[in-house]
Amino acid sequence: MFDPHNPSDRPDGGIVLGQFDKLFRNSADKFTEGYRFVAEHLSFKGVQRKSLDRPWRHGLVPSMAAPPSSPHSRIRLFRSASLERLTVVSAPAFIALWAILLPAIAVAGASYPATPWIPVFIVAGLIAWTATEYMLHRFVFHFEPDSQRLQRVIFIIHGNHHADPKDPLRNLMPPIISLPVGGVIWVLSFRVFGPVGTWFFLGFMTGYVGYDLVHYACHQWPMRGRLARALKTHHMHHHHHRARGNYAITGMVWDRILSTRISSVKEQA
């Protein structure tokens, strides 16, 4: 695992800022409120002023090591180049993969006797995904462990995205994570519901793919239109105003129900 505390592992030999909280104690945005461990895992090239619409608006610029084939300066998560390649996925590759897998799941479901409950299970899977999306983001991705080892794990899973939210190859979940987890969910769905569980799984994974594409669009596209702007604004408040809030991406209703919605940028204080 890549260790920024080890000077030999840091490509630029940069220093690690260990007093991250103090720098933000009197800051209004508290963007990194849930990420005290970020400074423990990044070296910094220096201080540079950024515009107020950037998450690192107080000038902390992560030192990033870019793979030779990538034009984007990317936070390096692993010393191994092979492992590092598994942490990224392009939008075309993501779309191509799921354009094959989602119909394949439907074909698998159709191989069992038909039932009038199929639409119900598909919709139930979609709804279950929106709740899962919220719970994962709030309680797993933003978990603040005391253990330094767990802090590194959380940073690899999600913290790196907050450190560099515009990285186009890390705005989508890589298959090394989504495929094994999806396989486990399929098995559980089948065991709980029987063959019709495949349709529940189809709804669940369709929700996941929609979530990931919306998340990618929030960071990479202008997103015009009333609904698109609402989705993007909701997520940008999470990134640029207060990390403890607006955990949902597509199921925004969960932030309302569970009182974590950031309704105004004034709530960042």
Side-chain angles (χ1 to χ4, degrees):
M1 182 179 293
F2 181 69
D3 183 5
H5 290 278
N6 185 344
S8 65
D9 285 356
R10 297 200 296 270
D12 66 344
I15 62 171
V16 174
L17 300 183
Q19 301 298 322
F20 194 82
D21 277 338
K22 291 182 180 179
L23 295 174
F24 284 84
R25 184 171 297 159
N26 298 317
S27 167
D29 75 335
K30 297 290 286 181
F31 163 69
T32 50
E33 189 174 33
Y35 287 91
R36 291 195 300 269
F37 55 87
V38 169
E40 299 296 331
H41 303 283
L42 290 177
S43 55
F44 291 82
K45 291 178 179 177
V47 175
Q48 174 183 342
R49 295 296 296 175
K50 291 288 183 182
S51 62
L52 293 182
D53 63 341
R54 302 290 183 86
W56 295 89
R57 55 175 142 192
H58 286 274
L60 297 177
V61 184
S63 171
M64 302 173 188
S69 60
S70 172
H72 183 93
S73 294
R74 181 160 296 113
I75 296 172
R76 190 175 184 115
L77 301 178
F78 296 98
R79 190 183 313 171
S80 166
S82 298
L83 286 176
E84 192 69 12
R85 281 192 292 271
L86 295 177
T87 68
V88 298
V89 62
S90 67
F94 179 90
I95 293 170
L97 175 66
W98 290 102
I100 295 171
L101 293 182
L102 289 180
I105 297 169
V107 169
S111 68
Y112 297 101
T115 167
W117 290 98
I118 287 175
V120 174
F121 275 86
I122 292 175
V123 172
L126 283 166
I127 295 173
W129 165 256
T130 64
T132 301
E133 161 196 321
Y134 178 92
M135 296 299 177
L136 280 175
H137 196 181
R138 180 177 181 179
F139 298 110
V140 178
F141 297 169
H142 282 260
F143 178 54
E144 297 182 54
D146 294 326
S147 164
Q148 189 177 77
R149 186 176 296 275
L150 285 179
Q151 289 172 7
R152 292 180 182 179
V153 170
I154 296 298
F155 183 79
I156 289 171
I157 292 173
H158 188 66
N160 74 88
H161 171 59
H162 273 265
D164 186 18
K166 295 290 287 182
D167 187 341
L169 297 187
R170 287 204 175 122
N171 287 160
L172 299 162
M173 186 68 70
I176 191 65
I177 301 296
S178 60
L179 294 184
V181 172
V184 170
I185 293 169
W186 194 349
V187 170
L188 291 175
S189 299
F190 199 93
R191 289 192 174 184
V192 172
F193 301 116
V196 76
T198 297
W199 295 108
F200 175 89
F201 178 65
L202 176 62
F204 189 91
M205 295 310 293
T206 299
Y208 156 69
V209 172
Y211 146 84
D212 237 356
L213 291 176
V214 168
H215 181 249
Y216 181 89
C218 285
H219 289 287
Q220 302 299 330
W221 299 340
M223 296 191 72
R224 298 180 178 88
R226 184 175 180 179
L227 176 59
R229 286 198 304 269
L231 289 166
K232 180 162 186 169
T233 299
H234 187 86
H235 189 52
M236 291 303 101
H237 281 176
H238 170 75
H239 270 277
H240 303 321
H241 296 297
R242 179 156 59 84
R244 289 180 179 171
N246 284 16
Y247 296 106
I249 306 295
T250 54
M252 295 185 291
V253 66
W254 291 110
D255 280 302
R256 287 182 177 272
I257 293 173
L258 298 173
S259 302
T260 53
R261 178 174 175 263
I262 304 171
S263 59
S264 168
V265 296
K266 294 180 181 179
E267 294 183 23
Q268 66 179 298

